[in-house]
Amino acid sequence: MQDLDRLKSELVASIEAADTLEALEALRVSVLGKKGRVSLMMRELGGMAPEERKTAGQALNLVKDAVAAAIDIRNAALSSAALDARLAAEAIDVSLPVRPETEARLHPLSRTIEEVVAIFAEMGFSVAEGPDIESDYYNFTALNIPEEHPARQEHDTFYLSPDSDGRRKVLRTHTSPVQIRTMEAAEPPIRIIVPGRTYRSDHDATHSPMFHQCEGLVIGDGIHMGHLKGCLIDFCRAFFGVDDLPVRFRPSYFPFTEPSAEVDIGCTRDGGGLKIGMGDDWLEILGSGMVNPRVLANCGYDPEKYQGFAFGMGIERIAMLKYGIPDLRTFYDSDLRWMRHYGFLPFDAPSVHAGLAGGGV
Ligand code: PHE
């Protein structure tokens, strides 16, 4: 018995001294494994007299349990130490500042789209998308621009080669076809914006064959011109960061809206420079209007039941005005010096509450 007690304390002491998980496992095998010390002693019980076997068996079981318990405890301690060491070795301090020497910059067009999305998201709009290669129907006909309508000529459309049934797809000339796609796929109420690429065959200092627009569409029950005005005035003031920015609605014409209005913001051109805000001059930045009942009907809506407004703006134009970028063509030059000057730090996400005035770096 005394021998067994001594054996128990010896084994427990060596288990407590094991300094790696591997060493502990080797110990376990040498004691409790098939040919382990305690297992062999268990086997010897078979040759003993019944009385002797009973006491010896009980004593041996105590040793076995004590050893197993010591192994469990040591195993837990070594495992958690190993995990701590690994966590310490692989730690990344996410609170460290961005590396100041970082070269990456966010393009001002991406930044402008993010800002527009942030403002409209705050008003409950979600982002919708559609294809760049569009059918004639979605780009024109469904928007109340039938064949031979003069508005088609104004769009300087890029046509693709005719397909097998003679129909020619187009590169979308505006983001308005996504109005139709959205109305066909959803039921009112609808509140979406559509930032995306658009194409027109036009190339000079103020036009690029590929440019960006952001469409907006709101459809519901009882939507009127007051909603359109409130929404767009709020947008202009938030985007340009001028609380009292004058906003003017000027009658205009688009086949898909009736009535239609172009939206101008106040500015001054005193002293050669352009300043957005209170002044004696105006700058056009948006097209808008109440969705034409014919367009609603084309999408299977009852115009007696639902009304809505739509708007569209050029992303390059509002980016140039806000960030003082003088030449449209530089947006697509991939000039790294230009990016360093007009680009944004990629971690500096725009949000309405943080203010959208957004200076460059
Ligand atoms: N699609 C028009 C354009 O490209 C803009 C617009 C959109 C006007 C929605 C009114 C309503 O000029």
Side-chain angles (χ1 to χ4, degrees):
M1 279 304 245
Q2 252 176 4
D3 285 353
L4 280 184
D5 272 348
R6 197 176 323 121
L7 175 66
K8 185 172 86 182
S9 358
E10 254 176 52
L11 289 175
V12 168
S14 60
I15 286 163
E16 282 168 355
D19 54 4
T20 62
L21 283 166
E22 293 74 32
L24 183 66
E25 175 61 9
L27 256 174
R28 188 190 66 78
V29 173
S30 75
V31 181
L32 302 179
K34 254 191 189 152
K35 291 182 183 147
R37 259 170 98 177
V38 173
S39 312
L40 291 177
M41 288 164 83
M42 290 282 201
R43 225 171 284 168
E44 283 165 18
L45 293 174
M48 296 181 182
E51 263 318 291
E52 199 186 358
R53 188 193 312 153
K54 195 174 165 201
T55 33
Q58 277 170 352
L60 210 50
N61 265 331
L62 285 178
V63 175
K64 194 179 148 193
D65 291 349
V67 166
I71 288 177
D72 280 352
I73 290 169
R74 190 65 193 146
N75 190 16
L78 287 173
S79 301
S80 96
L83 183 63
D84 285 348
R86 203 174 140 203
L87 286 175
E90 294 176 9
I92 297 170
D93 184 351
V94 290
S95 68
L96 284 174
V98 176
R99 288 161 66 182
E101 72 276 20
T102 183
E103 284 290 315
R105 291 288 185 277
L106 194 66
H107 196 284
L109 286 177
S110 307
R111 166 74 188 199
T112 303
I113 290 172
E114 284 184 7
E115 290 174 4
V116 170
V117 169
I119 295 168
F120 283 108
E122 194 98 331
M123 299 189 208
F125 283 71
S126 47
V127 172
E129 289 183 316
D132 289 18
I133 297 175
E134 195 45 285
S135 70
D136 195 277
Y137 176 76
Y138 285 111
N139 197 77
F140 295 120
T141 316
L143 287 160
N144 196 35
I145 316 177
E147 212 121 354
E148 310 307 331
H149 192 289
R152 286 205 179 197
Q153 267 70 61
E154 279 166 35
H155 277 219
D156 303 308
T157 313
F158 283 114
Y159 285 93
L160 276 71
S161 313
D163 57 20
S164 50
D165 37 332
R167 273 197 280 263
R168 303 177 86 184
K169 286 220 154 66
V170 303
L171 291 182
R172 65 177 179 191
T173 56
H174 50 179
T175 40
S176 302
V178 186
Q179 287 189 32
I180 308 295
R181 290 182 174 275
T182 306
M183 285 191 270
E184 280 182 354
E187 288 290 309
I190 289 174
R191 221 186 291 178
I192 53 145
I193 52 166
V194 186
R197 290 185 171 178
T198 46
Y199 307 83
R200 292 186 196 179
S201 177
D202 208 349
H203 200 189
D204 59 33
T206 53
H207 296 89
S208 152
M210 187 283 297
F211 58 105
H212 298 76
Q213 286 192 341
C214 185
E215 193 82 7
L217 177 71
V218 174
I219 304 280
D221 185 356
I223 301 288
H224 54 71
M225 196 82 188
H227 295 120
L228 177 156
K229 289 182 72 178
C231 171
L232 294 179
I233 292 172
D234 277 0
F235 166 75
C236 293
R237 292 184 174 166
F239 180 78
F240 289 103
V242 180
D243 286 346
D244 58 355
L245 179 68
V247 181
R248 175 173 86 168
F249 292 79
R250 191 167 30 78
S252 183
Y253 173 76
F254 298 101
F256 34 92
T257 49
E258 181 59 35
S260 304
E262 269 165 328
V263 182
D264 300 338
I265 55 171
C267 66
T268 39
R269 288 176 220 258
D270 286 351
L274 175 77
K275 196 168 169 287
I276 288 166
M278 223 51 109
D280 49 13
D281 222 340
W282 296 97
L283 260 176
E284 179 202 319
I285 63 155
L286 267 150
S288 71
M290 300 305 295
V291 178
N292 191 317
R294 282 166 170 253
V295 174
L296 294 172
N298 286 344
C299 300
Y301 287 5
D302 176 1
E304 297 293 322
K305 193 160 172 228
Y306 295 116
Q307 303 74 38
F309 66 86
F311 55 88
M313 63 186 111
I315 298 291
E316 279 79 352
R317 182 167 170 79
I318 61 171
M320 287 166 80
L321 291 172
K322 180 166 178 178
Y323 294 114
I325 301 172
D327 187 342
L328 173 81
R329 286 169 290 198
T330 56
F331 278 114
Y332 320 106
D333 279 348
S334 302
D335 179 339
L336 283 178
R337 287 166 312 165
W338 184 90
M339 276 296 278
R340 237 165 275 149
H341 182 76
Y342 287 111
F344 292 83
L345 285 176
F347 296 99
D348 182 14
S351 70
V352 175
H353 69 267
L356 284 156
V361 276

